[in-house]
Amino acid sequence: MKKDQSSSLVMIYRLIAIVLIITAVIILVPASAGAQDSRSFYFPSVIIEAEINPDGSMRVVEERTFRFSGTYRGAWSYIYLKHNAIIRDVLVSENGEPYQEMPVGTIDIPGIFYVEYKPDQVYIDWSYSASNEDRTFTISYMVDNAVQIHQDVA
């Protein structure tokens, strides 16, 4: 196998690994913790698109449709970082309407989100008001260093 084919394979494997990690490790749970009740939710649809840029960065757009049974006020997501990846330009929106970014720890105001950056993970928390309905949230962000770029040599 030629060196350029090998580096392309490595890039594809890393892209697949990153997308699988993002998909597998993201944890979304209700931000409101209360007494045990009959509330529940599930995802009838989750669409994650990832586009690799020539510089090795990756644009990720997640559309997560929740089906809520009961009342909910928020959700959160962890993105775990691998191989010097950096998450930036995080946005949360619903039906094309962007949520407003607020300081870390701000919750329970519908239409807001915050992002907490840690050395090995990024925590995204967003607030809304939902009761017995379907809601689709879009979470988008850039991942720097998603793919390692190699120079071809003769």
Side-chain angles (χ1 to χ4, degrees), residues 49-94:
E49 296 179 359
E51 180 180 341
I52 298 291
N53 298 312
D55 65 358
S57 65
M58 178 172 62
R59 181 76 180 154
V60 179
V61 178
E62 304 180 16
E63 288 191 8
R64 297 181 172 272
T65 299
F66 288 71
R67 180 155 294 154
F68 295 109
S69 176
T71 301
Y72 288 84
R73 298 186 327 233
W76 50 266
S77 175
Y78 279 106
I79 302 172
Y80 293 91
L81 305 175
K82 299 280 185 178
H83 307 293
N84 299 318
I86 298 168
I87 303 292
R88 62 180 171 85
D89 301 337
V90 176
L91 297 172
V92 177
S93 63
E94 183 178 11

Side-chain angles (χ1 to χ4, degrees), residues 17-27 48 64 78 80:
I18 289 170
V19 170
L20 288 175
I21 288 169
I22 290 170
T23 302
V25 212
I26 291 179
I27 302 170
I48 300 174
R64 297 181 172 272
Y78 279 106
Y80 293 91

Side-chain angles (χ1 to χ4, degrees), residues 98-118:
Y99 277 31
Q100 182 180 0
E101 187 167 4
M102 300 295 280
V104 171
T106 308
I107 60 171
D108 293 337
I109 303 168
I112 63 141
F113 77 99
Y114 71 85
V115 181
E116 187 173 359
Y117 296 92
K118 299 180 180 185

